[in-house]
Amino acid sequence: MSQTSLKQKKKNEAGMRYSKESLEGEKRKDSEKAVRLTTQGSQELSKADSRGYLVRNQWSRTSRSPSTKAPSMDEPRSRNTSLKVELPNSSATSRTPSTSPSQHESPLQLSAQPSPPTQSKPPMPPESRPPTPPEPEPGSRRSTKMHENPEAWAHGIVQEIREARESQQRDYPRLSPTEWKAYSQRKGTYSSAQSDRDCISEQQHLQDDEEDEAYWASVKMLYEKAPSCSRPQPPKPKHAITIAVSSRALFNMVDGRKIYEEEGLEKYMEYQLNNENVILTPGPAFRFVKALQHVNARLRELYPDEQDLFDIVLMTNNHAQVGVRLINSVNHYGLLIDRFCLTGGKSPIGYLKAYLTNLYLSADSEKVQEAIQEGIASATMFDGAKDMAYCDTQLRVAFDGDAVLFSDESEHIAKEHGLDKFFQHETLFENKPLAQGPLKGFLEDLGRLQKKFYAKDERLLCPIRTYLVTARSAASSGARVLKTLRRWGLEIDEALFLAGAPKGPILVKIRPHIFFDDQMFHIEGAQKFGTITAHVPYGISQKIN
């Protein structure tokens, strides 16, 4: 071999050694550069993600998502990346994978781009975290690829980290069945919680409406099947004939009264509360009230819009706690009594004028006397000593004359000067009308209602009939009485002049629902025959007695 060939051979070997050394130096520089890129990517990920502690613990410089593979030199990259690696002073060709043009970016450009802000999320449970991949062994295929193309390998690692972060953002932690929560607790965590509440509220309203419609439909069907129990409306007080009745007059409350007098008010109230579902038995005014209701029914048949009717008010000084028992008893007997006045021990007389009372009936003589002094027609009720049959289709009312329908003027003459002077006085003043007594207004009310039936040709079938039962003599003093009624414009259906004879036997034939008299010996005589009586404490007879 010539000297020139030897020199040329040495020169070529030196160049090859220089090329190898330069290539190895370039490779070391590229490897260091890839390490810096990887470190920057991991730092960028830890800054951008609020779960940085989780990423740093999971991923190292050479880590990757468990669902991805390391980039291979034998297959093109398909993870939205395009790399162009140029090695200085080398003839290595660029390797360009088939990707979209918008995805061709250099590793430096990718690392310099700011990562999108991430929302803070709760840390993943330990069992759902992906395991950290082991470091590659020096002789493995992955280590070979890292040394052959370090920039492409580093860029692939950064892209894999980003994809892993995005997949972690999309994957919501799944709770085990034991950690499931009710909808009312979970709905607040979603952005559509308000719309859900509105939807639920609307659905609840619709459900409530449907339930209401079903309820009222069932009630309507129940009422349609139930028999008619229409209750007539009470008349207006300014047009009605108001009859105030005490509880002791309407019902028999002798037992309760005895407890009140012997044991006091508290025991009386306790007794009434314990027996509020026990129906009271009828009292002396019971049949009279039933007859008044029958007259109202007949009037409504002839005059459907009639307001001139009887209106019964239960007026009592009982405590309100007793009201339940009274209401139960009233409804049990079908009495149309809608207005109650329970004064709780206070005298009810002060309410009589407020109720526009035409007649007050009570079992308490003191209250009746008090009402008479107030100018209100009143009477004390007494039941008959024995039962007697009463007419259910006609109201029958019997009146005494003097000190009841008329004034006590003639009574004064008889008591002070005797019967002879009384007869002379009546004959002398025969054409002079008598002054009115306390019950004259009630007789006028009855006469006004009678005329309503007469106007409909119902005279013979009129449900009201009035009686005058007096101890006067027709021949000596009867003319003044009849002329007085005529002057007042009142008609009396029957007039009975007894000339001092007992009234009891006559009243048995009449069978009135109530008989008004001012003298107690006439009341007691009628009671013995079973007549329901009402004592009117008015006139000179009360002072003498």
Side-chain angles (χ1 to χ4, degrees), residues 20 40 48 82 117 149 196 260 287 343 402 453:
K20 290 181 179 180
Q40 290 178 2
S82 175
N149 197 349
D196 290 345
Y260 172 75
R287 294 181 178 88
T343 61
D402 296 307
F453 290 97

Side-chain angles (χ1 to χ4, degrees), residues 360-480:
Y360 173 57
L361 302 175
S362 175
D364 192 336
S365 59
E366 294 180 0
K367 291 185 177 61
V368 170
Q369 183 67 48
E370 186 180 350
I372 288 286
Q373 293 175 0
E374 293 292 329
I376 299 173
S378 304
T380 306
M381 296 292 297
F382 296 95
D383 208 346
K386 57 183 179 180
D387 292 336
M388 185 170 59
Y390 291 88
C391 183
D392 296 331
T393 60
Q394 191 177 56
L395 171 64
R396 298 179 181 181
V397 184
F399 299 91
D400 180 29
D402 296 307
V404 177
L405 289 180
F406 313 116
S407 68
D408 63 341
E409 174 188 347
S410 300
E411 292 281 353
H412 274 279
I413 301 297
K415 297 296 183 182
E416 294 178 1
H417 304 286
L419 289 177
D420 292 339
K421 292 295 183 179
F422 168 74
F423 293 145
Q424 291 176 6
H425 180 269
E426 292 302 302
T427 303
L428 182 62
F429 295 97
E430 180 180 332
N431 296 321
K432 181 184 178 180
L434 292 163
Q436 69 178 20
L439 271 297
K440 183 251 185 179
F442 184 56
L443 179 62
E444 287 179 338
D445 296 332
L446 295 176
R448 186 175 65 254
L449 296 183
Q450 282 180 317
K451 291 178 181 179
K452 293 180 181 293
F453 290 97
Y454 300 164
K456 296 288 186 177
D457 295 331
E458 295 280 338
R459 179 178 287 269
L460 297 178
L461 299 176
C462 181
I464 301 174
R465 194 163 185 84
T466 56
Y467 302 84
L468 174 63
V469 182
T470 177
R472 281 175 176 257
S473 172
S476 57
S477 58
R480 191 181 184 190

Side-chain angles (χ1 to χ4, degrees), residues 496-517:
L496 293 94
F497 296 91
L498 301 181
K503 298 181 179 180
I506 301 299
L507 293 172
V508 171
K509 299 298 181 181
I510 297 174
R511 293 181 298 168
H513 293 92
I514 192 169
F515 167 59
F516 295 98
D517 201 294

Side-chain angles (χ1 to χ4, degrees), residues 3 14 24-25 85 162 210 224 238 294 303 407 493 503:
Q3 188 177 358
E24 290 178 358
V85 181
R162 287 184 178 177
E210 292 177 358
E224 289 176 352
K238 63 181 180 179
H294 177 72
Y303 306 93
S407 68
D493 293 313
K503 298 181 179 180

Side-chain angles (χ1 to χ4, degrees), residues 68-79:
T68 59
K69 296 180 181 180
S72 173
M73 299 298 293
D74 300 330
E75 58 183 5
R77 296 180 185 273
S78 59
R79 292 186 180 89

